[in-house]
Amino acid sequence: MLRYVLTFLAAALAGDLSAQEFETLKGHGGPIMGIAVSPDGEVASASFDNSVGLWAGGTPVWLEGHEAAVTAIAFGPNGELVTGGDDFAVRLWGRAPRLLGQHQGKVAGVAVSPNGDLVASGSWDGTIRLWPLDGSAAQTLPPPGAGVNDVAFDPGGEHLYASTSAGLVLRYDLAGGTPAPLARHGFGVNCLIVGEGWVAYGAVDGGTRVIDAESGAQIADFTLDRRPVLAMAYNAQTGRIAVGDGHGYIMVLDTAEWRIVQDFRATRQGPVWALAFSPDGSVLHAGGLEDVVYSWPVGLLDSFDPEMGNDRTFLRNADSMPNGERQFVRKCSICHALSPGPSRKAGPTLHGLFGRAAGTVPDYSYSDTLTGSDIVWTAETVDRLFDQGPDHYIPGSKMPMQVIAGAGDREDLIKYLETATKGD
Ligand code: HEC
C-alpha cells in the first residue's frame, strides 16, 4: 500500500497560530471514516484501509490491528486512543495496545469518559458496553432497542448519551436505571455531541438539532435541505460545532448564540465522514472519500483574523448581513481572503479579482488547469463559475465543486465581491 506524506505542517498542530496553514495529511489507502485529536493536538485518523494513522511530528505512525474498516475513534483526556471497527472490535492503543473486547456487530461509536477511566462503545448489534480501563469486567447497558450509531459522555461524566438507527437519542444515568429517551427523531440519528446542558445531533434525513440535555426540549434547529448528516465535532474553547454531511458540506455553528457561522463545500467529491477540531479550535480537520485529511484554519472567535479583511465581518451574525456578503462569509471566506498580500487560506486571495487573469496571484500555487487557463475574471465569468460549478467550468481545478443555484444569490455575491475585492 502506497503511503507517504506530501504536505505536513506540524506547526499548525502544535497550535502555533502564526504558522497556521491549510494542510493535507496523505497516506491512507482508503477513505477516512473518523478523526480524533488528542489534548496535545495529535491527530488520529481511522480509515477504510483497516488502519489508524497517528499524525505526530511529520511522519504518520500506522496502528495495525483491526481486521476491517476502522470507523469509530476517540481520544481520552490523557491521550488514551480508542477505536472501533467493522470487525466488531474495540481496541485501545498506546504503550500497551490491546483488544478491549468484541461486539456482535459493527462498532459505530466509541467515547472515553472525561476522567479517562471508562470507554463506551455502541454497536449495530444493538448493545452499548462500558470497558473500565483498569481491566475490570465490562458492563453492558440496558439495550437501546436498535443499532447504536454514536455514544458520548456528558462533560461531568455522569451520563452517557447514545443515538440509534431507530431515531432515538437516549440518556443513560451511569449510576444505574433505565435509559430516558430524549428525542424521537423518526429517522436514524448518525452522530451526537454533548456540551454543557445540551445535546446536538445529526440524522439521516438531514435533521440537525440541539436539545436540552435533561428534558430533551428543543434549543435550536439547523436543519438544511441536505442529507444525511454524517459527522460532528465540538470545541469547548471556541464554542463551535462543525457538522459534515453527505453532500460534502461543512456547517460551523456558534453555540453562544446558536447561529450558523460558516457553511461551505469542503470536499471535491463525496461526503464528509469525519470531523475534529484542534485543541484550541483554530483548525478543523475533515475526512471523507478522498483518502486524505484536510485541515482548515477556521479562525478563533475571540481573535482578529486579518485574512478576513479589515473589518470583523466574521464576528457578525451572518443572518443580519446583506445577502451578497452572507453568501461570501458562509460559502467562500473559509478559503479566500479579500485583502491584498499573501494569504494562508486554501485558495488564493480574491483581492483585485475583477479584470484579473485566472491563476495569476503571485506566490499562490495553483493547479495547472488554472495557471494555463485563459479566463479573465469578470462578473460574467464568476457567475458562470458558480452557475456551472468549478468542476464543469474549469475541470481539473483544485476548487471544490460548488454550485450556487439561485441566480439572485450569484448576482448578490458578485455585487458584494465587486466592492469587497477593491479595498486595501
Ligand atoms: C474549500 C475551499 C474553497 C471554497 C469554499 C471556495 N474556493 Fe474558490 N478556490 C479554492 C481554491 C483551492 C482555488 C484555486 C484553484 C486552482 O488552483 O485550481 C480557488 C480559486 C478560485 C477563483 C479563481 C481565482 C484566481 O486567482 O484565478 C475564484 C474566482 C474563486 N475561487 C472564487 C470563489 C468564491 C466566490 C467562492 C464562494 C462562493 C469560493 N471560491 C469558494 C478554494 C475554495
Side-chain angles (χ1 to χ4, degrees):
M1 200 177 306
L2 179 61
R3 284 168 164 169
Y4 57 97
V5 182
L6 257 197
T7 317
F8 183 78
L9 296 159
L13 296 182
D16 180 352
L17 296 188
S18 62
Q20 254 177 46
E21 300 261 0
F22 173 75
E23 55 175 340
T24 311
L25 308 181
K26 285 204 177 185
H28 271 297
I32 311 290
M33 306 299 293
I35 305 175
V37 178
S38 78
D40 293 341
E42 210 172 6
V43 177
S45 50
S47 169
F48 235 89
D49 69 5
N50 302 5
S51 68
V52 176
L54 206 51
W55 302 87
T59 320
V61 174
W62 301 107
L63 308 177
E64 309 286 357
H66 281 288
E67 283 159 15
V70 192
T71 54
I73 190 162
F75 268 111
N78 311 306
E80 308 89 341
L81 178 61
V82 177
T83 54
D86 286 2
D87 57 355
F88 310 173
V90 182
R91 288 190 164 272
L92 176 72
W93 305 93
R95 239 166 282 148
R98 66 187 156 103
L99 178 72
L100 285 178
Q102 297 273 150
H103 279 270
Q104 269 150 17
K106 296 182 180 187
V107 179
V110 292
V112 186
S113 64
N115 65 6
D117 284 354
L118 202 57
V119 168
S121 59
S123 164
W124 286 5
D125 69 4
T127 62
I128 300 169
R129 309 193 86 184
L130 299 176
W131 316 87
L133 287 184
D134 65 8
S136 54
Q139 189 192 337
T140 303
L141 291 181
V148 179
N149 286 331
D150 203 2
V151 289
F153 287 94
D154 64 0
E158 286 157 9
H159 301 94
L160 183 79
Y161 292 78
S163 66
T164 75
S165 57
L168 287 190
V169 175
L170 293 160
R171 178 183 198 247
Y172 286 87
D173 189 335
L174 293 177
T178 48
L182 275 196
R184 297 176 193 277
H185 186 72
F187 291 85
V189 175
N190 285 336
C191 44
L192 80 170
I193 296 283
V194 184
E196 288 290 349
W198 52 262
V199 177
Y201 70 83
V204 170
D205 65 333
T208 310
R209 300 222 164 95
V210 185
I211 55 175
D212 186 277
E214 255 178 65
S215 68
Q218 184 165 307
I219 295 172
D221 186 350
F222 295 105
T223 306
L224 298 175
D225 56 354
R226 284 182 228 125
R227 61 187 71 183
V229 176
L230 301 174
M232 277 181 153
Y234 174 57
N235 181 269
Q237 204 169 312
T238 56
R240 296 206 163 169
I241 297 175
V243 183
D245 72 24
H247 291 190
Y249 284 81
I250 295 176
M251 172 165 75
V252 180
L253 305 173
D254 170 35
T255 59
E257 295 174 37
W258 293 118
R259 61 184 174 90
I260 299 173
V261 185
Q262 262 153 348
D263 181 38
F264 63 102
R265 173 85 196 202
T267 60
R268 252 165 277 160
Q269 50 157 327
V272 175
W273 271 321
L275 282 174
F277 282 102
S278 63
D280 67 0
S282 65
V283 176
L284 180 61
H285 307 282
L289 260 183
E290 288 174 84
D291 301 13
V292 297
V293 176
Y294 293 109
S295 305
W296 284 276
V298 287
L300 295 167
L301 240 193
D302 54 358
S303 73
F304 175 57
D305 180 357
E307 308 282 321
M308 289 300 300
N310 292 325
D311 57 34
R312 297 171 68 98
T313 314
F314 66 106
L315 291 180
R316 286 170 31 215
N317 188 342
D319 293 330
S320 63
M321 291 173 186
N323 184 42
E325 184 177 9
R326 179 167 60 239
Q327 297 287 326
F328 176 78
V329 166
R330 285 197 180 158
K331 296 177 179 163
C332 325
S333 69
I334 191 93
C335 296
H336 291 290
L338 294 171
S339 48
S343 156
R344 293 189 303 266
K345 299 202 174 216
T349 178
L350 297 183
H351 183 77
L353 181 70
F354 293 94
R356 149 179 130 197
T360 55
V361 169
D363 299 328
Y364 180 80
S365 166
Y366 288 95
S367 63
D368 293 345
T369 310
L370 221 65
T371 310
S373 143
D374 52 11
I375 295 170
V376 173
W377 294 119
T378 61
E380 202 181 52
T381 52
V382 175
D383 182 70
R384 252 183 261 154
L385 179 65
F386 291 104
D387 184 16
Q388 301 172 16
D391 52 327
H392 285 161
Y393 188 52
I394 31 175
S397 155
K398 286 196 295 176
M399 179 144 61
M401 188 208 96
Q402 163 158 289
V403 170
I404 299 178
D409 287 342
R410 292 198 304 274
E411 195 180 317
D412 290 348
L413 170 67
I414 289 162
K415 278 215 185 93
Y416 167 75
L417 284 176
E418 281 175 336
T419 318
T421 56
K422 265 192 211 142
D424 46 30

